[in-house]
Each structure stands twice: as C-alpha cells, then as structure tokens.
Amino acid sequence: MSFLLKAYDHLRPVLFTLQPETAHGVAFAAGRVLQQCPGGVKVLEAMAGQPSPSLARKVGGLSFATPLGLAAGLDKGAELLPVWKALGFGFVEIGTVTPRPQPGNPKPRCFRIPSEGLILNRMGFNSEGAEVVAKRLKRRPKGLVVGGNIGKNKVTPEETALEDYRAAYRWIAPEVDYIALNISSPNTPGLRRLQAPEALKPLLEGLLHTRREMALEAQPIFVKLAPDLAFDELDAIVEVIAASGVEGLIATNTTLDRGIVSEAQRKQVLAWGDGGLSGVGLKAKAQAVRRRILERISSDVCFMACGGLSDGLDAREALDDGADLVQIYSALIFQGPGLVNAINARLV
Ligand SMILES: Cc1cc2nc3c(=O)[nH]c(=O)nc-3n(C[C@H](O)[C@H](O)[C@H](O)COP(=O)(O)O)c2cc1C
C-alpha cells in the first residue's frame, strides 16, 4: 500500500468528523499552501508516483497521460490543477462554471454515507462565475488536459438557457482543452429537461454556431448525461447528440434514485432531503447506461465513463466496455489521493 493511501487511512477519521464542505475547505487550504511552497508540488509528485508512459492515449485529438480523470464538481474554480496533475490524473474537469457568480443552495447541502461509499449533494452550482475562473485558468499547468464543465445560472429560465451556455462558453472555452455541457445536474430546477431531444437539438446547434464563430472547431465538446433516463429516452437523446456534430458524451452524473441506498440508511438519506447520489451504489446504473450508449454510438464518438468507479478493476471494466476515458469523484473522498496512482498502476 502506498504512503498516500496509508496516510489517508489516518487522516480520514479526522476529516470525516467535519461537515463535508468544511473538510473540503481544509483539504483545499492544504492544497493551496502546498502549491505555494517552492518544490511542494514536486515532492507530492514524487510521493504519488506518475502514470506509466504505456497509459498515454489520444482521444478527441487530445493527448492524455492516462485515461483517468477527475470528474466535475470537486475543483469547480480550477484552483488546484498542479496538485491534481502531481497526484497522477491525466485530466481534470473543472466546473460546473455558471456565466455569472452564484452562491448555490443553502447549507448544509452535502452529506456522506461512509459505510456505503455514497455522497448526497445538492450544491446547486455554487460558482465564482466564468470570468473569474477563466482568469485563473490562464495560469494552468502544462501536460494536464483540462475540461471546462459549463452550466446555466439558476435564475435563467430554460427557454433562454442557450444564452447562458454561450456566455460561459465564450469565457471558458479559450482557456481549456475540451468543453462539457452539464445538462444533467439534478440540483438546478429544470436543467435535466434540457436533455429532451426538442430542447437539446437547438442547444447543441446554437453552441456549435458559437464554436464556429470563435474558430474553436478543433476543440471537442462533450455532453454529460443523467443516469435516470429510461432507455427509450436515452436512445433518442444519444441519437440527437451523435447527429449534432459534437464529439462525445459523459455518463453519468448523480442519481435521484434513493433505491441505491441500503434499507438501513434509507431513512437517514430521505431525512437529508433533495439531491443527487454518487459513489459505489451508482456503479450498476451508470454501467447499464454506459453499455446502452456504447452499443449505439460509432467509435468516432468519444465516451467518458463516470459514476461509482472506485478502483482499478472498475476503471478497467469501463475501458473494456469501450469507454475512451474514465472519471472519478466520490471514491477519491473515501479512499484519498493515493487512489489515483493505485488505479493507474492497476490499469497498467
Ligand atoms: C459534491 C459533488 C458535487 C458535484 N458537482 C458537479 C458539478 O458541478 N457538475 C457536474 O457535472 N457534476 C458534478 N458532480 C457529479 C460528478 O461529477 C459525477 O458525475 C458523480 O459524482 C458520479 O461519479 P462518482 O460516483 O465517481 O462520484 C458532483 C458530485 C458531487 C459528489
């Protein structure tokens, strides 16, 4: 077991006495200090171990040091990119970034169920806004693929959502390697309705128009989907995406399905209220969605697998299913920073 995995075994019980957002704040403060210490990132890189060159791959015209990436939502403001790279991630999806700053939902809005490796969140796109994040991205490290996950502001009605995605795109796209359209968060009222073919088609057409205007045609766009779609809905959505001219899909976001929680914990989870669930229990749903999508798209549409992946075997299974890349979030919270190298090593 690596030093980082062992160290986190000692740190986790302390961190988990704190509210999830407080623990997040402490971890980010430590990350910022490390980034500012001369040589700090280099030491972390040496401790974590870097991905084997055999893991390198090209997807959507981009070069990834490893197919393992950090999913959206953990580093919404692109604050710790050097740290993620030092831990061995091949890519990081920052965001969701909204065009204008917004606070997100009232706290508490994030809860852990450690015995099941699950997280419930209703963050609601707390975002510093696209301008601030775009400026920070100008100092991003080299050798790490960065995706920009964009969404709409809560106050923006669904009918004018395209204008929000365009505004966020104009700020973020010039600073990142790919764009992810988040139309699948359950925590912004009405957002998931943008997945419906009649809403999705004009949204994608409009955004592709903006991409052409900005001469960014070479930069891939991914659409991130929910795990809660019936297969007939999913098929229709995938058809629209594949025909639209965008390059890829990400599946999945968090689930609204409380059935993935054990009987023993369900009452507690229901008492916490609204939000999306992620982590181990999401794996089966995400896998079913992934397999359904991969059966229906041609190999020139790129696919990122996300949802409940918690070790090297899960990552390998997703890649063997035909995914080009994999993303993790919840497993990192429960297993700590040593997990990145453990998955990379297993993939070799
Ligand atoms: C606290 C939290 C915040 C999240 N925020 C976002 C977000 O802003 N945008 C997004 O596309 N996904 C967000 N997600 C979803 C993750 O990117 C991912 O799709 C989901 O957690 C499933 O992966 P996992 O089971 O590995 O965690 C968030 C997840 C968590 C737990």
Side-chain angles (χ1 to χ4, degrees):
M1 196 194 250
S2 80
F3 170 76
L4 282 180
L5 281 172
K6 265 191 249 156
Y8 197 70
D9 272 350
H10 295 288
L11 192 61
R12 184 180 36 234
V14 182
L15 274 179
F16 279 22
T17 60
L18 306 172
Q19 294 280 340
E21 272 200 77
T22 312
H24 177 91
V26 169
F28 265 58
R32 276 184 222 111
V33 169
L34 189 116
Q35 282 183 175
Q36 278 156 16
C37 281
V41 169
K42 280 260 169 289
V43 171
L44 182 64
E45 204 173 277
M47 267 168 27
Q50 291 306 290
S52 154
S54 67
L55 290 177
R57 56 173 62 194
K58 257 196 151 160
V59 178
L62 302 170
S63 299
F64 295 78
T66 156
L68 176 62
L70 178 64
L74 188 56
D75 194 357
K76 289 178 191 275
E79 292 185 76
L80 296 183
L81 296 177
V83 166
W84 308 125
K85 178 170 182 280
L87 289 180
F89 280 114
F91 67 109
V92 172
E93 197 169 300
I94 61 111
T96 296
V97 183
T98 53
R100 293 165 300 286
Q102 64 174 31
N105 286 324
K107 294 177 189 174
R109 53 192 179 176
C110 189
F111 310 85
R112 314 178 194 95
I113 315 161
S115 58
E116 303 192 11
L118 286 175
I119 295 176
L120 174 76
N121 96 82
R122 52 168 174 274
M123 303 299 289
F125 293 170
N126 48 313
S127 174
E128 295 169 280
E131 182 176 358
V132 170
V133 178
K135 285 189 178 146
R136 198 174 290 129
L137 280 164
K138 293 204 182 289
R139 299 189 305 269
R140 54 176 278 200
K142 291 196 172 37
L144 175 77
V145 172
V146 177
N149 180 308
I150 57 175
K152 74 169 193 70
N153 281 103
K154 185 178 178 183
V155 293
T156 306
E158 277 158 71
E159 303 79 59
T160 52
L162 172 61
E163 288 320 308
D164 265 22
Y165 283 91
R166 276 187 156 146
Y169 183 89
R170 286 192 189 103
W171 279 112
I172 299 295
E175 313 300 338
V176 294
D177 302 305
Y178 74 84
I179 284 286
L181 298 183
N182 186 358
I183 50 170
S184 50
S185 166
N187 303 315
T188 293
L191 192 84
R192 284 186 167 190
R193 282 199 288 272
L194 297 174
Q195 294 176 121
E198 57 281 12
L200 184 57
K201 208 163 170 267
L203 184 72
L204 297 183
E205 277 167 7
L207 215 73
L208 286 168
H209 182 75
T210 305
R211 179 167 80 169
R212 276 194 301 278
E213 278 176 352
M214 294 178 69
L216 286 173
E217 289 97 327
Q219 183 186 75
I221 294 179
F222 288 80
V223 182
K224 185 165 177 182
L225 296 178
D228 302 322
L229 297 155
F231 276 172
D232 56 343
E233 288 175 292
L234 180 64
D235 294 349
I237 292 167
V238 169
E239 209 171 293
V240 170
I241 293 172
S244 70
V246 303
E247 286 67 23
L249 293 111
I250 306 171
T252 69
N253 213 313
T254 57
T255 181
L256 287 170
D257 182 359
R258 297 316 190 237
I260 70 165
V261 182
S262 73
E263 287 286 342
Q265 298 290 336
R266 190 134 346 128
K267 218 169 137 199
Q268 171 66 78
V269 170
L270 292 175
W272 282 331
D274 291 344
L277 286 160
S278 57
V280 178
L282 174 58
K283 183 176 139 181
K285 276 180 94 87
Q287 183 182 61
V289 169
R290 163 172 94 228
R291 290 185 173 165
R292 182 78 181 191
I293 294 174
L294 285 165
E295 273 168 20
R296 275 164 174 72
I297 56 173
S298 66
S299 58
D300 53 336
V301 180
C302 307
F303 185 84
M304 291 190 204
C306 183
L309 306 177
S310 62
D311 57 25
L313 281 179
D314 290 345
R316 167 52 54 210
E317 195 174 34
L319 294 171
D320 286 347
D321 281 347
D324 299 290
L325 300 162
V326 294
Q327 297 183 320
I328 57 168
Y329 184 148
S330 302
L332 192 67
I333 304 302
F334 293 110
Q335 298 182 57
L339 177 65
V340 185
N341 183 251
I343 295 182
N344 279 333
R346 183 74 205 209
L347 287 178
V348 174

